[in-house]
Amino acid sequence: MSSTSSTPSTPSTPYSATGTTGTPGDAAAPGDAGAPGPSRGLDPAIADRLKRTPDGLLPAIAQQYDTGEVLMLGWMDDEALHRTLTTGRCTYWSRSRREYWVKGDTSGHVQHVKSVALDCDADTVLVQVDQVGAACHTGARTCFDADVLPLGR
């Protein structure tokens, strides 16, 4: 399978941490490819509530909907959240590749969205999914089972 990721367009107006227009932070100059940004499709009532990082992102926790198992953490901007809400597949912003990626397009390890919720501060998204295969890029079921730290009680 080939990836269907694309780079977002970025308007030239300043981006605010709570606003919905412009280029996020100083991550890229206006018009630069590969900078996360606002979505023209995300419901403005949702976008206005979001509290993003200075680079325009929200942490997105993926959780198995029926067991509560925490699978992974990814990053979403407005466009990734819009795509996730409208396609039923998790779309993330890759900070290292500077592009959108739909979980499972290359690996086959798809996340089918069951629900999406904002936390009480509107600065984190919880996406409950039905995970097909491994969630972690290492091939593990979750990103959080390989390195459990000891508690010093």
Side-chain angles (χ1 to χ4, degrees):
M1 263 186 227
S2 65
S3 175
T4 58
S5 63
S6 63
T7 54
S9 62
T10 54
S12 60
T13 56
Y15 187 88
S16 79
T18 58
T20 60
T21 61
T23 303
D26 295 324
D32 279 356
S39 167
R40 290 176 184 28
L42 186 62
D43 181 337
I46 296 170
D48 288 345
R49 295 175 54 204
L50 301 179
K51 295 178 186 160
R52 304 164 191 82
T53 63
D55 56 357
L57 299 172
L58 291 168
I61 301 166
Q63 179 184 41
Q64 179 63 34
Y65 82 100
D66 55 353
T67 66
E69 179 181 33
V70 177
L71 300 169
M72 61 173 280
L73 178 124
W75 294 92
M76 292 184 180
D77 67 354
D78 291 13
E79 179 61 24
L81 180 56
H82 169 69
R83 292 180 189 188
T84 297
L85 291 169
T86 58
T87 66
R89 297 267 311 276
C90 280
T91 300
Y92 299 98
W93 173 257
S94 171
R95 296 179 301 164
S96 60
R97 294 189 310 260
R98 303 190 58 75
E99 65 184 8
Y100 294 111
W101 57 281
V102 179
K103 183 69 173 169
D105 271 2
T106 56
S107 68
H109 300 162
V110 177
Q111 292 176 340
H112 298 285
V113 176
K114 297 293 186 176
S115 70
V116 179
L118 288 174
D119 75 336
C120 59
D121 296 320
D123 64 1
T124 303
V125 178
L126 176 65
V127 186
Q128 292 193 321
V129 301
D130 190 9
Q131 177 71 49
V132 176
C136 186
H137 71 280
T138 65
R141 171 72 180 166
T142 84
C143 294
F144 297 103
D145 61 359
D147 198 9
V148 178
L149 304 177
L151 299 175
R153 296 182 196 226

